[in-house]
Amino acid sequence: MAQMTSQTLYQALWNSADILRSKMDASEYKNYLLGLIFYKYLSDRMVVYASDQLEEKTTDLDKAQQIYTDAYNDKDLHDDLISNVSDEFGYHIQPDLTFTALIDKIDHGTFQLEDLSQSFRDIEQSSEFFSGLFEDVDLYSRKLGATPQKQNQVISDVMKQISTLDLVGQNTNDILGDAYEYLIGQFASDSGKNAGEFLYAAVRCHVLLRKSRCTVRKMSVVSRFMIRQWDQAHCF
């Protein structure tokens, strides 16, 4: 995947937010964006790690997805693969429910919100670290659309924008921190708040993310910390 510039990152985030701005206020749409970005992070890191462990190292998500799928479906590799991935991350995602797989379903018109909802549940139930991680991402809210088809389309559109984010490169933590900081500023602007109210949260996010080794389990705590800081400031 080509190196992501700040402008490319911010444009993808802006486009994602723009899809939801007319449907709900910032206090609500921030849950969808932060939740989906973090889900992509969890998914992408897992499939790339799996390909590495299978001695077919790649950062190409499509290739990593295929390697993971093949090994997952191989009865001789399946159990060891799941054990390895779960020990490393505290969860595993079924091949047909990874972010990459769901984007493929969107491209082929077969995506259903229940697929994403099921993956959220699987992660939340896999470890106490992830309990309630996606509880504020209401995939069936009527604010997304009056019908299941419209809700499905809106989430699909947001996921397509987020799919352009490179969250598996060498500077992953910096990129994720930049994404959170940018979105917090946008949330503040859209809600009529001063972005300075969120500076503390943004700085804390960067400090946590730029530690020498920030595991996905720690990242689940960071993600919830960021959302909580925004909520506290927004309620003043």
Side-chain angles (χ1 to χ4, degrees), residues 51-103:
S51 69
D52 188 18
Q53 294 301 299
L54 291 162
E55 299 183 352
E56 298 186 60
K57 187 173 183 178
T58 180
T59 57
D60 183 295
L61 290 175
D62 290 329
K63 291 181 181 178
Q65 172 71 29
Q66 188 60 58
I67 293 167
Y68 178 61
T69 300
D70 291 344
Y72 191 95
N73 292 329
D74 186 326
K75 64 180 182 180
D76 294 327
L77 297 176
H78 177 89
D79 291 346
D80 286 343
L81 174 65
I82 299 309
S83 177
N84 193 332
V85 169
S86 297
D87 286 346
E88 176 69 15
F89 298 117
Y91 66 91
H92 80 275
I93 303 172
Q94 296 178 45
D96 63 333
L97 297 180
T98 66
F99 195 95
T100 301
L102 296 183
I103 290 297

Side-chain angles (χ1 to χ4, degrees), residues 56-182:
E56 298 186 60
K57 187 173 183 178
T58 180
T59 57
D60 183 295
L61 290 175
D62 290 329
K63 291 181 181 178
Q65 172 71 29
Q66 188 60 58
I67 293 167
Y68 178 61
T69 300
D70 291 344
Y72 191 95
N73 292 329
D74 186 326
K75 64 180 182 180
D76 294 327
L77 297 176
H78 177 89
D79 291 346
D80 286 343
L81 174 65
I82 299 309
S83 177
N84 193 332
V85 169
S86 297
D87 286 346
E88 176 69 15
F89 298 117
Y91 66 91
H92 80 275
I93 303 172
Q94 296 178 45
D96 63 333
L97 297 180
T98 66
F99 195 95
T100 301
L102 296 183
I103 290 297
D104 186 62
K105 290 182 180 181
I106 290 171
D107 289 341
H108 289 86
T110 60
F111 172 73
Q112 296 295 323
L113 285 177
E114 180 54 31
D115 293 334
L116 181 58
S117 181
Q118 181 62 56
S119 195
F120 283 176
R121 289 193 297 269
D122 289 347
I123 292 175
E124 289 179 324
Q125 294 169 8
S126 64
S127 166
E128 63 179 324
F129 286 98
F130 304 108
S131 178
L133 181 60
F134 301 106
E135 63 185 357
D136 293 326
V137 185
D138 184 359
L139 298 176
Y140 304 102
S141 170
R142 289 185 64 82
K143 290 187 178 181
L144 294 172
T147 67
Q149 292 76 16
K150 290 181 178 180
Q151 295 161 9
N152 198 81
Q153 186 61 55
V154 169
I155 293 297
S156 294
D157 290 344
V158 174
M159 290 179 66
K160 285 289 288 183
Q161 292 295 332
I162 291 174
S163 71
T164 63
L165 301 181
D166 178 6
L167 300 180
V168 295
Q170 291 184 340
N171 298 319
T172 295
N173 291 344
D174 286 351
I175 292 171
L176 201 58
D178 288 344
Y180 274 26
E181 184 176 3
Y182 174 81

Side-chain angles (χ1 to χ4, degrees), residues 18-25 28 143-145 150 154:
D18 206 36
I19 294 168
L20 298 171
R21 282 194 186 93
S22 63
K23 302 179 182 302
M24 59 190 73
D25 62 33
E28 295 174 289
K143 290 187 178 181
L144 294 172
K150 290 181 178 180
V154 169

